[in-house]
Amino acid sequence: MTNRNTVLDSIALGYEPVWNRARELAAVRLGARAVHPESIDAAHLMQALGDDWPESAPVLILSIDSPRLLQQALDCAPVHNTWLEVPGGLFETPETAGRLKAAARRGHKLLRRTELAAVRGENFALTDMRNLLRLGAESAPPGLVGQLVEGVATQILARQCLDDAGAWGVLGWPDGDVLHSHRHQPMNYDAAVIQQILMAIGDEDCSIEHLERLVRQDPVLVYRILLLVNSAAFGGRHEIGSLRHALMMLGFRELGRWLAEQLPHSEPDRDLHPVRYAMVMRSRLAQHLLATGAEDNLRGEVYTTSVLSQLDRLLHQPLNDLLMRLPLSGRVFDAVLRQDGPYFPLLDVARAQGEPGQLHRLPAVCHRHDISLEDANRALIRMLATSRHHAGRRSERLT
């Protein structure tokens, strides 16, 4: 009989965030591609997700590439806080439309995926249907309240969809276009993160572990704190490559003073938040790919390695130049600059799981690095399940 283990070792899972009007994580689209279809049934897949998907997690949009598995999923009991993505064509024939109505009666939340042009003129406000609409070359139409959109290639179009047309969320984010608008100067800090840290420092119950979790939300802040504690202004080169060690060296009072000085120079563009947080999600996934029970200092170094590997996009400098300013371990240099060493497999698998439309590559990437699909899939589920509150006080352990 099929069991949970064979399900998660026979399917490739990948993710794509959905961002809301506040530019915060509203949902995650979980792509599921069958690698060994004969070893899978949807009931066990739904159980595997339902067992690990808390109420506090973002909405999970399950996108299954196999028509057989999708139909099985529709026949299963629904998983809380989860929507099933359904191709628009299935709503158009009486037989399949009847099955979808029956699934909705069982409690499934259905998301119709279709081209915007195919439903142009529909009044979405008059139906209970939630849609994932793929945009073409046109600008965003009015009246997208409650709907999701994909194919948003520019910052202007993202703003039209979310701010003007009232879309519930944008699948993916136009990172390249947003970063292009900041190409003339390096990225500054996230003002919201600095405010969170300053509030935490003022709380006498704040721990160094909680403070580290807050700082990790801003990749630029991580890098510049490491630069600060290794600078001549801080007494010379202390050879500090660990964020937690850096925070301990600074101390709460000195960190608060320094952050207060940085606040006027923080970055007000909220369209940058999805760019930063996508980097945080990938870095958290890399550390979750470590064996269960790994020490916090090891998990922290893997997280920092992944963050630094993406830093050139924010600071517009070659990675080699950025990293050579820090006394990092050889493991970090090997992973980021040489695509080698013990950390590189974790970064490579995390990158593959976050590439929409490239799930067919994931089994080969896992095989190359001797990481099982089951381990990769479980790491992804754990990361996503805690992606809304990883900086909270739920646990002092790095997540």
Side-chain angles (χ1 to χ4, degrees):
M1 179 178 292
T2 305
N3 56 45
R4 276 187 64 184
N5 291 338
T6 57
V7 166
L8 290 182
D9 209 26
S10 302
I11 199 164
L13 298 180
Y15 72 100
E16 189 171 9
V18 176
W19 306 102
N20 63 19
R21 188 174 184 178
R23 282 30 170 200
E24 295 174 349
L25 185 68
V28 177
R29 183 180 187 234
L30 187 70
R33 180 184 177 88
V35 178
H36 303 296
E38 70 283 355
S39 301
I40 307 171
D41 69 61
H44 289 98
L45 174 60
M46 299 291 277
Q47 180 187 357
L49 295 174
D51 286 351
D52 293 315
W53 205 253
E55 289 288 349
S56 57
V59 170
L60 185 70
I61 302 170
L62 187 56
S63 176
I64 302 174
D65 77 331
S66 162
R68 179 183 68 84
L69 285 176
L70 174 58
Q71 185 56 57
Q72 288 181 2
L74 291 165
D75 292 337
C76 292
V79 174
H80 64 270
N81 208 26
T82 298
W83 304 347
L84 287 177
E85 181 181 302
V86 180
L90 296 184
F91 290 86
E92 296 173 4
T93 65
E95 180 181 2
T96 53
R99 291 177 181 171
L100 295 176
K101 288 181 181 178
R105 286 195 296 270
R106 281 192 292 273
H108 281 293
K109 296 185 183 298
L110 306 181
L111 180 68
R112 177 176 64 168
R113 188 185 189 194
T114 187
E115 301 286 334
L116 174 62
V119 294
R120 187 173 293 281
E122 261 190 46
N123 189 340
F124 301 128
L126 299 180
T127 70
D128 294 329
M129 178 69 63
R130 198 182 291 271
N131 298 279
L132 173 57
L133 304 170
R134 181 163 188 83
L135 303 184
E138 70 271 42
S139 59
L144 291 178
V145 175
Q147 311 307 310
L148 288 75
V149 293
E150 62 175 326
V152 176
T154 67
Q155 184 177 19
I156 289 176
L157 189 54
R159 289 175 174 176
Q160 288 176 347
C161 291
L162 293 170
D163 303 332
D164 301 334
W168 187 87
V170 168
L171 176 65
W173 194 250
D175 289 11
D177 193 57
V178 171
L179 290 172
H180 184 72
S181 67
H182 292 268
R183 65 193 181 280
H184 296 305
Q185 58 185 12
M187 199 75 63
N188 262 319
Y189 311 104
D190 186 326
V193 171
I194 290 182
Q195 294 282 13
Q196 286 181 340
I197 297 169
L198 290 174
M199 288 182 63
I201 289 173
D203 182 350
E204 63 182 16
D205 295 326
C206 179
S207 67
I208 191 70
E209 291 83 8
H210 179 59
L211 195 65
E212 180 183 13
R213 291 156 75 98
L214 292 173
V215 171
R216 293 191 319 159
Q217 295 178 95
D218 184 350
V220 173
L221 188 57
V222 170
Y223 177 70
R224 290 188 176 148
I225 285 177
L226 289 173
L227 279 181
L228 175 65
V229 298
N230 286 286
S231 67
F234 210 74
R237 197 169 182 82
H238 291 280
E239 301 287 320
I240 297 173
S242 157
L243 177 59
R244 184 173 298 185
H245 189 188
L247 295 174
M248 292 172 66
M249 285 289 297
L250 278 171
F252 284 24
R253 180 175 297 180
E254 178 63 21
L255 176 64
R257 185 197 63 76
W258 181 76
L259 286 175
E261 292 176 354
Q262 310 310 310
L263 194 56
H265 309 293
S266 57
E267 181 54 63
D269 186 357
R270 63 179 183 163
D271 289 342
L272 286 166
H273 180 73
V275 179
R276 290 190 184 97
Y277 198 71
M279 294 180 178
V280 169
M281 291 177 74
R282 184 195 288 185
S283 300
R284 293 185 60 241
L285 177 54
Q287 73 174 28
H288 274 288
L289 284 163
L290 279 169
T292 303
E295 294 294 329
D296 269 3
N297 60 351
L298 179 60
R299 293 163 65 84
E301 188 169 70
V302 169
Y303 182 93
T304 300
T305 302
S306 182
V307 163
L308 295 177
S309 74
Q310 306 169 74
L311 204 60
D312 54 328
R313 301 179 63 213
L314 298 180
L315 297 182
H316 314 306
Q317 296 179 53
L319 277 175
N320 187 73
D321 293 351
L322 292 169
L323 267 58
M324 288 302 176
R325 298 169 188 163
L326 297 174
L328 302 169
S329 75
R331 296 182 296 272
V332 177
F333 283 112
D334 285 345
V336 177
L337 300 180
R338 303 180 184 95
Q339 289 75 57
D340 196 7
Y343 294 165
F344 177 67
L346 310 176
L347 272 59
D348 203 27
V349 172
R351 179 166 44 243
Q353 289 183 285
E355 292 181 342
Q358 297 295 313
L359 269 182
H360 62 280
R361 295 182 54 250
L362 182 60
V365 174
C366 288
H367 179 75
R368 182 163 65 246
H369 297 305
D370 199 25
I371 295 175
S372 73
L373 266 179
E374 180 177 357
D375 287 343
N377 290 332
R378 288 196 184 282
L380 176 58
I381 293 170
R382 287 196 302 270
M383 183 277 284
L384 295 177
T386 57
S387 55
R388 266 191 173 163
H389 56 213
H390 77 281
R393 292 188 174 174
R394 179 186 53 83
S395 168
E396 296 295 2
R397 183 168 173 79
L398 288 177
T399 59

